[in-house]
Short mmCIF file of all heavy atoms in Angstrom, two decimals:
data_model
loop_
_atom_site.label_atom_id
_atom_site.label_comp_id
_atom_site.label_asym_id
_atom_site.label_seq_id
_atom_site.Cartn_x
_atom_site.Cartn_y
_atom_site.Cartn_z
N MET A 22 71.18 50.11 123.03
CA MET A 22 71.88 49.29 122.04
C MET A 22 73.29 49.00 122.54
O MET A 22 73.97 49.87 123.04
CB MET A 22 71.92 50.04 120.71
CG MET A 22 72.49 49.22 119.58
SD MET A 22 72.42 50.17 118.03
CE MET A 22 73.63 49.28 117.08
N SER A 23 73.72 47.77 122.41
CA SER A 23 75.06 47.38 122.86
C SER A 23 76.12 47.95 121.93
O SER A 23 75.89 48.10 120.74
CB SER A 23 75.19 45.87 122.87
OG SER A 23 74.25 45.31 123.72
N LYS A 24 77.26 48.23 122.51
CA LYS A 24 78.38 48.72 121.71
C LYS A 24 79.61 47.92 122.04
O LYS A 24 79.86 47.60 123.19
CB LYS A 24 78.65 50.20 122.00
CG LYS A 24 77.61 51.11 121.39
CD LYS A 24 78.12 52.53 121.29
CE LYS A 24 77.12 53.36 120.52
NZ LYS A 24 77.55 54.70 120.26
N LYS A 25 80.37 47.58 120.99
CA LYS A 25 81.64 46.89 121.19
C LYS A 25 82.73 47.95 121.27
O LYS A 25 82.74 48.89 120.49
CB LYS A 25 81.89 45.97 119.99
CG LYS A 25 83.08 45.07 120.17
CD LYS A 25 83.20 44.17 118.95
CE LYS A 25 84.61 43.65 118.83
NZ LYS A 25 84.83 42.97 117.56
N ARG A 26 83.60 47.79 122.24
CA ARG A 26 84.66 48.76 122.40
C ARG A 26 86.01 48.13 122.09
O ARG A 26 86.26 46.98 122.41
CB ARG A 26 84.72 49.28 123.84
CG ARG A 26 83.66 50.27 124.16
CD ARG A 26 83.92 50.85 125.51
NE ARG A 26 82.90 51.84 125.82
CZ ARG A 26 82.81 52.45 126.99
NH1 ARG A 26 83.66 52.16 127.95
NH2 ARG A 26 81.88 53.35 127.20
N THR A 27 86.87 48.92 121.47
CA THR A 27 88.24 48.51 121.23
C THR A 27 89.13 49.39 122.08
O THR A 27 88.99 50.60 122.08
CB THR A 27 88.61 48.67 119.74
OG1 THR A 27 87.72 47.88 118.96
CG2 THR A 27 90.04 48.21 119.49
N MET A 28 90.05 48.78 122.84
CA MET A 28 90.93 49.55 123.70
C MET A 28 92.37 49.43 123.21
O MET A 28 92.83 48.34 122.89
CB MET A 28 90.82 49.03 125.14
CG MET A 28 91.62 49.84 126.13
SD MET A 28 91.54 49.14 127.80
CE MET A 28 89.84 49.49 128.22
N ILE A 29 93.04 50.55 123.12
CA ILE A 29 94.45 50.56 122.74
C ILE A 29 95.24 51.06 123.95
O ILE A 29 94.98 52.15 124.46
CB ILE A 29 94.71 51.47 121.52
CG1 ILE A 29 93.98 50.93 120.29
CG2 ILE A 29 96.21 51.59 121.24
CD1 ILE A 29 94.02 51.85 119.10
N ILE A 30 96.14 50.23 124.45
CA ILE A 30 96.99 50.63 125.57
C ILE A 30 98.26 51.22 124.98
O ILE A 30 98.99 50.54 124.24
CB ILE A 30 97.29 49.42 126.48
CG1 ILE A 30 95.97 48.90 127.06
CG2 ILE A 30 98.27 49.81 127.58
CD1 ILE A 30 96.07 47.55 127.72
N ILE A 31 98.51 52.49 125.30
CA ILE A 31 99.64 53.20 124.71
C ILE A 31 100.82 53.16 125.66
O ILE A 31 100.78 53.74 126.74
CB ILE A 31 99.25 54.66 124.38
CG1 ILE A 31 98.09 54.68 123.39
CG2 ILE A 31 100.45 55.42 123.83
CD1 ILE A 31 97.52 56.05 123.13
N GLU A 32 101.87 52.43 125.26
CA GLU A 32 103.11 52.44 126.04
C GLU A 32 104.26 52.15 125.08
O GLU A 32 104.12 51.35 124.15
CB GLU A 32 103.06 51.44 127.19
CG GLU A 32 102.70 50.03 126.82
CD GLU A 32 102.54 49.13 128.05
OE1 GLU A 32 102.17 49.63 129.13
OE2 GLU A 32 102.80 47.93 127.92
N PRO A 33 105.42 52.83 125.29
CA PRO A 33 106.54 52.63 124.37
C PRO A 33 107.17 51.26 124.58
O PRO A 33 107.19 50.74 125.69
CB PRO A 33 107.51 53.75 124.74
CG PRO A 33 107.19 54.08 126.16
CD PRO A 33 105.73 53.80 126.34
N ASP A 34 107.66 50.68 123.49
CA ASP A 34 108.24 49.34 123.56
C ASP A 34 109.44 49.33 122.62
O ASP A 34 109.29 49.54 121.42
CB ASP A 34 107.19 48.31 123.14
CG ASP A 34 107.73 46.89 123.24
OD1 ASP A 34 108.62 46.65 124.06
OD2 ASP A 34 107.23 46.03 122.49
N GLY A 35 110.64 49.10 123.15
CA GLY A 35 111.83 49.11 122.30
C GLY A 35 112.09 50.50 121.77
O GLY A 35 112.02 51.47 122.51
N ARG A 36 112.38 50.62 120.50
CA ARG A 36 112.59 51.92 119.87
C ARG A 36 111.24 52.52 119.55
O ARG A 36 110.31 51.81 119.16
CB ARG A 36 113.39 51.74 118.56
CG ARG A 36 114.76 51.12 118.76
CD ARG A 36 115.73 52.02 119.51
NE ARG A 36 115.94 53.29 118.85
CZ ARG A 36 116.85 53.51 117.88
NH1 ARG A 36 117.61 52.53 117.46
NH2 ARG A 36 116.98 54.69 117.34
N ILE A 37 111.16 53.86 119.71
CA ILE A 37 109.89 54.51 119.38
C ILE A 37 109.78 54.67 117.87
O ILE A 37 110.77 54.85 117.17
CB ILE A 37 109.74 55.88 120.09
CG1 ILE A 37 110.87 56.82 119.71
CG2 ILE A 37 109.64 55.69 121.60
CD1 ILE A 37 110.62 58.25 120.17
N HIS A 38 108.60 54.57 117.40
CA HIS A 38 108.34 54.69 115.98
C HIS A 38 106.85 55.00 115.80
O HIS A 38 106.11 55.08 116.77
CB HIS A 38 108.72 53.40 115.24
CG HIS A 38 108.00 52.18 115.78
ND1 HIS A 38 108.39 51.56 116.95
CD2 HIS A 38 106.92 51.51 115.34
CE1 HIS A 38 107.57 50.54 117.18
NE2 HIS A 38 106.68 50.49 116.23
N LYS A 39 106.46 55.13 114.57
CA LYS A 39 105.05 55.40 114.29
C LYS A 39 104.32 54.07 114.22
O LYS A 39 104.79 53.12 113.58
CB LYS A 39 104.93 56.16 112.97
CG LYS A 39 103.55 56.76 112.76
CD LYS A 39 103.48 57.51 111.44
CE LYS A 39 103.81 58.97 111.61
NZ LYS A 39 103.42 59.78 110.43
N GLU A 40 103.20 53.98 114.91
CA GLU A 40 102.40 52.76 114.89
C GLU A 40 101.02 53.08 114.33
O GLU A 40 100.52 54.17 114.52
CB GLU A 40 102.20 52.22 116.31
CG GLU A 40 103.47 51.90 117.05
CD GLU A 40 103.16 51.49 118.48
OE1 GLU A 40 102.95 50.30 118.70
OE2 GLU A 40 103.11 52.37 119.35
N ALA A 41 100.42 52.12 113.70
CA ALA A 41 99.06 52.33 113.19
C ALA A 41 98.22 51.10 113.49
O ALA A 41 98.68 49.97 113.39
CB ALA A 41 99.09 52.58 111.69
N PHE A 42 97.01 51.34 113.91
CA PHE A 42 96.05 50.28 114.18
C PHE A 42 94.82 50.50 113.32
O PHE A 42 94.36 51.62 113.17
CB PHE A 42 95.61 50.29 115.65
CG PHE A 42 96.74 50.06 116.62
CD1 PHE A 42 97.47 51.12 117.11
CD2 PHE A 42 97.06 48.77 117.02
CE1 PHE A 42 98.52 50.91 118.00
CE2 PHE A 42 98.10 48.56 117.91
CZ PHE A 42 98.83 49.63 118.40
N MET A 43 94.32 49.44 112.75
CA MET A 43 93.08 49.52 111.99
C MET A 43 91.99 48.81 112.80
O MET A 43 92.19 47.68 113.25
CB MET A 43 93.26 48.84 110.64
CG MET A 43 92.12 49.07 109.68
SD MET A 43 92.23 50.67 108.88
CE MET A 43 93.24 50.25 107.46
N THR A 44 90.88 49.48 113.00
CA THR A 44 89.79 48.85 113.75
C THR A 44 89.10 47.81 112.89
O THR A 44 89.29 47.76 111.67
CB THR A 44 88.74 49.89 114.18
OG1 THR A 44 88.12 50.42 113.00
CG2 THR A 44 89.36 51.01 115.01
N ALA A 45 88.33 46.97 113.54
CA ALA A 45 87.48 46.04 112.80
C ALA A 45 86.43 46.85 112.04
O ALA A 45 86.07 47.96 112.45
CB ALA A 45 86.80 45.07 113.76
N PRO A 46 85.92 46.31 110.93
CA PRO A 46 84.89 47.04 110.19
C PRO A 46 83.65 47.26 111.04
O PRO A 46 83.25 46.40 111.83
CB PRO A 46 84.57 46.11 109.01
CG PRO A 46 85.75 45.22 108.87
CD PRO A 46 86.30 45.05 110.26
N MET A 47 83.07 48.47 110.92
CA MET A 47 81.84 48.80 111.64
C MET A 47 80.80 49.29 110.64
O MET A 47 81.15 49.80 109.57
CB MET A 47 82.14 49.90 112.66
CG MET A 47 83.01 49.40 113.81
SD MET A 47 83.39 50.70 114.97
CE MET A 47 85.16 50.79 114.76
N VAL A 48 79.56 49.12 111.00
CA VAL A 48 78.47 49.54 110.11
C VAL A 48 78.55 51.05 109.89
O VAL A 48 78.71 51.82 110.84
CB VAL A 48 77.11 49.15 110.73
CG1 VAL A 48 75.96 49.73 109.91
CG2 VAL A 48 76.99 47.64 110.81
N CYS A 49 78.46 51.46 108.65
CA CYS A 49 78.50 52.89 108.31
C CYS A 49 77.31 53.59 108.97
O CYS A 49 76.16 53.22 108.73
CB CYS A 49 78.46 53.06 106.80
SG CYS A 49 78.36 54.78 106.27
N PRO A 50 77.57 54.61 109.80
CA PRO A 50 76.47 55.27 110.50
C PRO A 50 75.65 56.18 109.59
O PRO A 50 74.51 56.52 109.92
CB PRO A 50 77.18 56.07 111.60
CG PRO A 50 78.54 56.32 111.06
CD PRO A 50 78.88 55.14 110.19
N TYR A 51 76.22 56.60 108.47
CA TYR A 51 75.51 57.54 107.59
C TYR A 51 74.42 56.82 106.79
O TYR A 51 73.28 57.26 106.75
CB TYR A 51 76.52 58.22 106.67
CG TYR A 51 75.95 59.34 105.83
CD1 TYR A 51 75.02 60.21 106.35
CD2 TYR A 51 76.37 59.52 104.51
CE1 TYR A 51 74.50 61.24 105.57
CE2 TYR A 51 75.87 60.55 103.73
CZ TYR A 51 74.94 61.40 104.27
OH TYR A 51 74.44 62.41 103.50
N CYS A 52 74.76 55.68 106.20
CA CYS A 52 73.78 54.95 105.39
C CYS A 52 73.23 53.73 106.13
O CYS A 52 72.45 52.97 105.57
CB CYS A 52 74.42 54.52 104.07
SG CYS A 52 75.74 53.30 104.25
N ASN A 53 73.63 53.55 107.38
CA ASN A 53 73.19 52.40 108.19
C ASN A 53 73.52 51.07 107.53
O ASN A 53 72.76 50.11 107.64
CB ASN A 53 71.69 52.48 108.48
CG ASN A 53 71.39 53.31 109.71
OD1 ASN A 53 72.10 53.18 110.72
ND2 ASN A 53 70.39 54.16 109.64
N GLY A 54 74.65 50.99 106.84
CA GLY A 54 75.09 49.74 106.25
C GLY A 54 74.45 49.42 104.91
O GLY A 54 74.72 48.38 104.33
N ARG A 55 73.59 50.32 104.40
CA ARG A 55 72.93 50.04 103.12
C ARG A 55 73.86 50.30 101.93
O ARG A 55 73.63 49.80 100.84
CB ARG A 55 71.66 50.87 102.98
CG ARG A 55 70.57 50.45 103.96
CD ARG A 55 69.26 51.19 103.67
NE ARG A 55 69.41 52.62 103.76
CZ ARG A 55 69.19 53.34 104.86
NH1 ARG A 55 68.79 52.75 105.96
NH2 ARG A 55 69.36 54.65 104.87
N GLY A 56 74.85 51.16 102.13
CA GLY A 56 75.79 51.44 101.05
C GLY A 56 75.34 52.52 100.08
O GLY A 56 76.08 52.89 99.19
N GLY A 57 74.13 53.00 100.25
CA GLY A 57 73.65 54.04 99.34
C GLY A 57 72.28 54.52 99.73
O GLY A 57 71.69 54.06 100.71
N PHE A 58 71.78 55.46 98.95
CA PHE A 58 70.47 56.06 99.23
C PHE A 58 69.63 56.03 97.96
O PHE A 58 70.13 56.37 96.88
CB PHE A 58 70.65 57.51 99.68
CG PHE A 58 71.55 57.65 100.88
CD1 PHE A 58 72.91 57.89 100.71
CD2 PHE A 58 71.04 57.52 102.16
CE1 PHE A 58 73.74 58.00 101.82
CE2 PHE A 58 71.87 57.63 103.26
CZ PHE A 58 73.22 57.87 103.09
N PRO A 59 68.37 55.63 98.05
CA PRO A 59 67.52 55.69 96.86
C PRO A 59 67.23 57.14 96.46
O PRO A 59 66.94 57.96 97.32
CB PRO A 59 66.23 54.98 97.30
CG PRO A 59 66.32 54.79 98.77
CD PRO A 59 67.69 55.16 99.24
N ILE A 60 67.39 57.43 95.20
CA ILE A 60 67.10 58.78 94.70
C ILE A 60 66.19 58.66 93.48
O ILE A 60 66.18 57.64 92.80
CB ILE A 60 68.39 59.55 94.31
CG1 ILE A 60 69.27 58.71 93.38
CG2 ILE A 60 69.17 59.98 95.55
CD1 ILE A 60 70.38 59.51 92.70
N ASP A 61 65.45 59.73 93.23
CA ASP A 61 64.59 59.78 92.04
C ASP A 61 65.31 60.55 90.94
O ASP A 61 65.81 61.65 91.16
CB ASP A 61 63.26 60.46 92.38
CG ASP A 61 62.40 59.59 93.28
OD1 ASP A 61 62.39 58.37 93.06
OD2 ASP A 61 61.77 60.13 94.20
N THR A 62 65.39 59.96 89.77
CA THR A 62 66.01 60.63 88.62
C THR A 62 64.96 60.71 87.52
O THR A 62 63.92 60.05 87.61
CB THR A 62 67.24 59.85 88.12
OG1 THR A 62 66.78 58.64 87.51
CG2 THR A 62 68.19 59.52 89.25
N PRO A 63 65.22 61.51 86.46
CA PRO A 63 64.27 61.55 85.34
C PRO A 63 64.03 60.18 84.72
O PRO A 63 62.99 59.93 84.12
CB PRO A 63 64.95 62.50 84.34
CG PRO A 63 65.85 63.35 85.18
CD PRO A 63 66.31 62.46 86.31
N ASN A 64 64.99 59.27 84.87
CA ASN A 64 64.86 57.93 84.29
C ASN A 64 64.32 56.91 85.29
O ASN A 64 64.40 55.71 85.07
CB ASN A 64 66.22 57.45 83.77
CG ASN A 64 66.81 58.39 82.74
OD1 ASN A 64 66.10 58.93 81.91
ND2 ASN A 64 68.11 58.61 82.82
N GLY A 65 63.82 57.38 86.42
CA GLY A 65 63.29 56.45 87.42
C GLY A 65 64.13 56.50 88.68
O GLY A 65 64.98 57.38 88.85
N SER A 66 63.90 55.53 89.55
CA SER A 66 64.64 55.54 90.81
C SER A 66 66.02 54.91 90.62
O SER A 66 66.21 54.04 89.78
CB SER A 66 63.86 54.81 91.90
OG SER A 66 63.69 53.47 91.54
N ASP A 67 66.96 55.38 91.40
CA ASP A 67 68.33 54.89 91.30
C ASP A 67 68.92 54.87 92.71
O ASP A 67 68.27 55.31 93.67
CB ASP A 67 69.14 55.82 90.38
CG ASP A 67 70.39 55.12 89.82
OD1 ASP A 67 70.66 53.97 90.22
OD2 ASP A 67 71.09 55.73 89.01
N ILE A 68 70.10 54.35 92.84
CA ILE A 68 70.79 54.33 94.13
C ILE A 68 72.00 55.25 94.05
O ILE A 68 72.83 55.09 93.16
CB ILE A 68 71.25 52.89 94.50
CG1 ILE A 68 70.05 51.95 94.61
CG2 ILE A 68 72.06 52.90 95.80
CD1 ILE A 68 69.19 52.14 95.84
N GLU A 69 72.05 56.21 94.97
CA GLU A 69 73.22 57.06 95.06
C GLU A 69 74.19 56.44 96.06
O GLU A 69 73.82 56.15 97.20
CB GLU A 69 72.81 58.46 95.52
CG GLU A 69 73.97 59.45 95.53
CD GLU A 69 73.52 60.84 95.95
OE1 GLU A 69 72.88 60.95 97.00
OE2 GLU A 69 73.82 61.80 95.24
N THR A 70 75.44 56.22 95.63
CA THR A 70 76.44 55.59 96.49
C THR A 70 76.74 56.47 97.71
O THR A 70 76.90 57.67 97.58
CB THR A 70 77.73 55.33 95.69
OG1 THR A 70 77.41 54.53 94.57
CG2 THR A 70 78.76 54.60 96.55
N CYS A 71 76.81 55.84 98.88
CA CYS A 71 77.12 56.57 100.11
C CYS A 71 78.53 57.17 100.02
O CYS A 71 79.48 56.46 99.72
CB CYS A 71 77.02 55.63 101.30
SG CYS A 71 77.54 56.37 102.85
N PRO A 72 78.67 58.48 100.27
CA PRO A 72 79.99 59.09 100.15
C PRO A 72 80.94 58.70 101.29
O PRO A 72 82.16 58.77 101.14
CB PRO A 72 79.69 60.60 100.21
CG PRO A 72 78.41 60.69 100.96
CD PRO A 72 77.63 59.43 100.63
N ASP A 73 80.41 58.27 102.42
CA ASP A 73 81.27 57.95 103.56
C ASP A 73 81.89 56.56 103.44
O ASP A 73 83.08 56.38 103.73
CB ASP A 73 80.48 58.04 104.87
CG ASP A 73 80.26 59.49 105.29
OD1 ASP A 73 80.48 60.38 104.44
OD2 ASP A 73 79.87 59.72 106.43
N CYS A 74 81.11 55.56 103.04
CA CYS A 74 81.65 54.18 102.95
C CYS A 74 81.86 53.76 101.51
O CYS A 74 82.27 52.64 101.26
CB CYS A 74 80.70 53.22 103.66
SG CYS A 74 79.09 53.10 102.87
N GLN A 75 81.56 54.64 100.56
CA GLN A 75 81.73 54.39 99.13
C GLN A 75 81.01 53.11 98.70
O GLN A 75 81.52 52.33 97.89
CB GLN A 75 83.21 54.36 98.75
CG GLN A 75 83.87 55.70 98.99
CD GLN A 75 85.34 55.72 98.60
OE1 GLN A 75 85.93 54.70 98.31
NE2 GLN A 75 85.94 56.90 98.64
N GLY A 76 79.86 52.88 99.29
CA GLY A 76 79.01 51.77 98.87
C GLY A 76 79.27 50.45 99.58
O GLY A 76 78.56 49.49 99.37
N SER A 77 80.29 50.41 100.44
CA SER A 77 80.63 49.14 101.11
C SER A 77 79.70 48.87 102.29
O SER A 77 79.57 47.74 102.73
CB SER A 77 82.08 49.16 101.58
OG SER A 77 82.25 50.07 102.64
N GLY A 78 79.10 49.90 102.84
CA GLY A 78 78.23 49.73 104.00
C GLY A 78 78.99 49.62 105.32
O GLY A 78 78.38 49.50 106.37
N GLU A 79 80.30 49.62 105.23
CA GLU A 79 81.11 49.51 106.45
C GLU A 79 82.21 50.56 106.42
O GLU A 79 82.68 50.98 105.36
CB GLU A 79 81.76 48.12 106.54
CG GLU A 79 80.78 47.00 106.78
CD GLU A 79 81.47 45.65 106.91
OE1 GLU A 79 82.55 45.46 106.33
OE2 GLU A 79 80.90 44.78 107.59
N VAL A 80 82.64 50.96 107.61
CA VAL A 80 83.77 51.88 107.74
C VAL A 80 84.78 51.28 108.71
O VAL A 80 84.43 50.46 109.56
CB VAL A 80 83.31 53.28 108.24
CG1 VAL A 80 82.46 53.99 107.19
CG2 VAL A 80 82.53 53.18 109.54
N VAL A 81 86.03 51.68 108.57
CA VAL A 81 87.09 51.30 109.50
C VAL A 81 87.80 52.58 109.92
O VAL A 81 87.79 53.56 109.19
CB VAL A 81 88.10 50.30 108.90
CG1 VAL A 81 87.47 48.96 108.63
CG2 VAL A 81 88.73 50.86 107.63
N ALA A 82 88.41 52.56 111.09
CA ALA A 82 89.16 53.72 111.56
C ALA A 82 90.63 53.35 111.67
O ALA A 82 90.97 52.28 112.21
CB ALA A 82 88.64 54.19 112.91
N MET A 83 91.50 54.20 111.15
CA MET A 83 92.93 53.99 111.34
C MET A 83 93.40 54.93 112.44
O MET A 83 93.19 56.13 112.37
CB MET A 83 93.70 54.27 110.05
CG MET A 83 95.19 54.01 110.25
SD MET A 83 96.16 54.27 108.76
CE MET A 83 95.89 52.72 107.93
N VAL A 84 93.98 54.34 113.48
CA VAL A 84 94.49 55.11 114.61
C VAL A 84 96.00 55.09 114.50
O VAL A 84 96.62 54.03 114.54
CB VAL A 84 94.04 54.48 115.95
CG1 VAL A 84 94.57 55.28 117.11
CG2 VAL A 84 92.53 54.37 115.99
N VAL A 85 96.60 56.29 114.36
CA VAL A 85 98.06 56.39 114.21
C VAL A 85 98.64 56.96 115.50
O VAL A 85 98.18 57.97 116.01
CB VAL A 85 98.43 57.28 113.01
CG1 VAL A 85 99.94 57.45 112.92
CG2 VAL A 85 97.89 56.69 111.72
N ILE A 86 99.63 56.27 116.04
CA ILE A 86 100.34 56.73 117.22
C ILE A 86 101.75 57.09 116.79
O ILE A 86 102.50 56.24 116.30
CB ILE A 86 100.34 55.65 118.32
CG1 ILE A 86 98.90 55.37 118.74
CG2 ILE A 86 101.19 56.09 119.51
CD1 ILE A 86 98.74 54.09 119.53
N ASP A 87 102.10 58.36 116.93
CA ASP A 87 103.38 58.86 116.45
C ASP A 87 104.22 59.25 117.67
O ASP A 87 104.05 60.32 118.23
CB ASP A 87 103.12 60.06 115.52
CG ASP A 87 104.36 60.42 114.70
OD1 ASP A 87 105.37 59.71 114.80
OD2 ASP A 87 104.28 61.41 113.96
N TRP A 88 105.12 58.36 118.07
CA TRP A 88 105.97 58.63 119.24
C TRP A 88 106.99 59.72 118.92
O TRP A 88 107.57 59.74 117.84
CB TRP A 88 106.71 57.36 119.65
CG TRP A 88 105.81 56.31 120.22
CD1 TRP A 88 105.28 55.24 119.56
CD2 TRP A 88 105.30 56.25 121.54
NE1 TRP A 88 104.49 54.51 120.41
CE2 TRP A 88 104.49 55.10 121.63
CE3 TRP A 88 105.45 57.05 122.68
CZ2 TRP A 88 103.83 54.73 122.79
CZ3 TRP A 88 104.79 56.68 123.84
CH2 TRP A 88 104.00 55.53 123.90
N LYS A 89 107.19 60.65 119.86
CA LYS A 89 108.13 61.76 119.70
C LYS A 89 108.96 61.90 120.97
O LYS A 89 108.48 61.56 122.05
CB LYS A 89 107.37 63.09 119.49
CG LYS A 89 106.48 63.12 118.28
CD LYS A 89 107.27 63.38 117.01
CE LYS A 89 106.33 63.56 115.84
NZ LYS A 89 106.91 63.08 114.60
N PRO A 90 110.18 62.43 120.86
CA PRO A 90 110.93 62.73 122.08
C PRO A 90 110.25 63.86 122.83
O PRO A 90 109.64 64.73 122.23
CB PRO A 90 112.30 63.17 121.57
CG PRO A 90 112.16 63.40 120.11
CD PRO A 90 110.90 62.75 119.65
N ASN A 91 110.33 63.81 124.14
CA ASN A 91 109.76 64.88 124.96
C ASN A 91 110.79 66.01 125.05
O ASN A 91 111.69 65.98 125.88
CB ASN A 91 109.41 64.36 126.36
CG ASN A 91 108.81 65.44 127.21
OD1 ASN A 91 108.43 66.49 126.73
ND2 ASN A 91 108.71 65.17 128.51
N THR A 92 110.65 66.99 124.16
CA THR A 92 111.62 68.07 124.10
C THR A 92 111.15 69.32 124.82
O THR A 92 111.74 70.38 124.72
CB THR A 92 111.93 68.43 122.64
OG1 THR A 92 110.69 68.68 121.96
CG2 THR A 92 112.66 67.29 121.94
N LYS A 93 110.02 69.18 125.52
CA LYS A 93 109.49 70.33 126.27
C LYS A 93 110.48 70.74 127.36
O LYS A 93 110.94 69.91 128.14
CB LYS A 93 108.14 69.94 126.89
CG LYS A 93 107.35 71.11 127.41
CD LYS A 93 106.00 70.66 127.90
CE LYS A 93 106.12 69.88 129.20
NZ LYS A 93 104.83 69.44 129.73
N LEU A 94 110.83 72.04 127.41
CA LEU A 94 111.79 72.52 128.40
C LEU A 94 111.15 72.60 129.78
O LEU A 94 109.99 72.99 129.91
CB LEU A 94 112.33 73.88 128.00
CG LEU A 94 113.18 73.87 126.72
CD1 LEU A 94 113.50 75.29 126.29
CD2 LEU A 94 114.46 73.09 126.94
N LYS A 95 111.90 72.23 130.79
CA LYS A 95 111.35 72.26 132.14
C LYS A 95 111.64 73.59 132.81
O LYS A 95 112.58 74.25 132.47
CB LYS A 95 111.94 71.12 132.96
CG LYS A 95 111.46 69.79 132.43
CD LYS A 95 111.79 68.65 133.38
CE LYS A 95 111.06 67.40 132.91
NZ LYS A 95 111.95 66.27 132.79
ZN1 ZN N 7 77.72 54.46 104.13
#
């Protein structure tokens, strides 16, 4: 199966600060994009909302880069 890759090149630019990147939405691997799971209840069948994507069927990843001074002693 083909996979799309996102590459983040990490290099300081200007003043250092905290940066955050949000990936493009990807299909939720837990529910396979269905957004939930069929369950049997006393009142018949129902759909239980996927806890990972909260029913959206997609997930995104936030990547935070927190620049710090290099204070390690030599
Ligand atoms: Zn899901």
Side-chain angles (χ1 to χ4, degrees):
M22 186 177 160
S23 301
K24 286 199 173 185
K25 188 178 158 190
R26 283 188 179 175
T27 302
M28 184 183 290
I29 296 172
I30 298 167
I31 299 173
E32 53 186 29
D34 182 27
R36 300 292 302 274
I37 59 169
H38 57 282
K39 193 180 268 194
E40 301 175 89
F42 298 89
M43 190 80 88
T44 65
M47 291 178 244
V48 173
C49 175
Y51 187 39
C52 66
N53 274 318
R55 291 188 301 268
F58 304 93
I60 51 167
D61 290 321
T62 70
N64 302 321
S66 62
D67 201 355
I68 299 287
E69 184 178 51
T70 303
C71 174
D73 284 14
C74 65
Q75 297 182 350
S77 69
E79 292 182 333
V80 292
V81 292
M83 181 178 278
V84 180
V85 176
I86 297 165
D87 195 4
W88 291 98
K89 299 281 186 212
N91 181 13
T92 53
K93 193 176 72 179
L94 294 172
K95 293 192 170 129

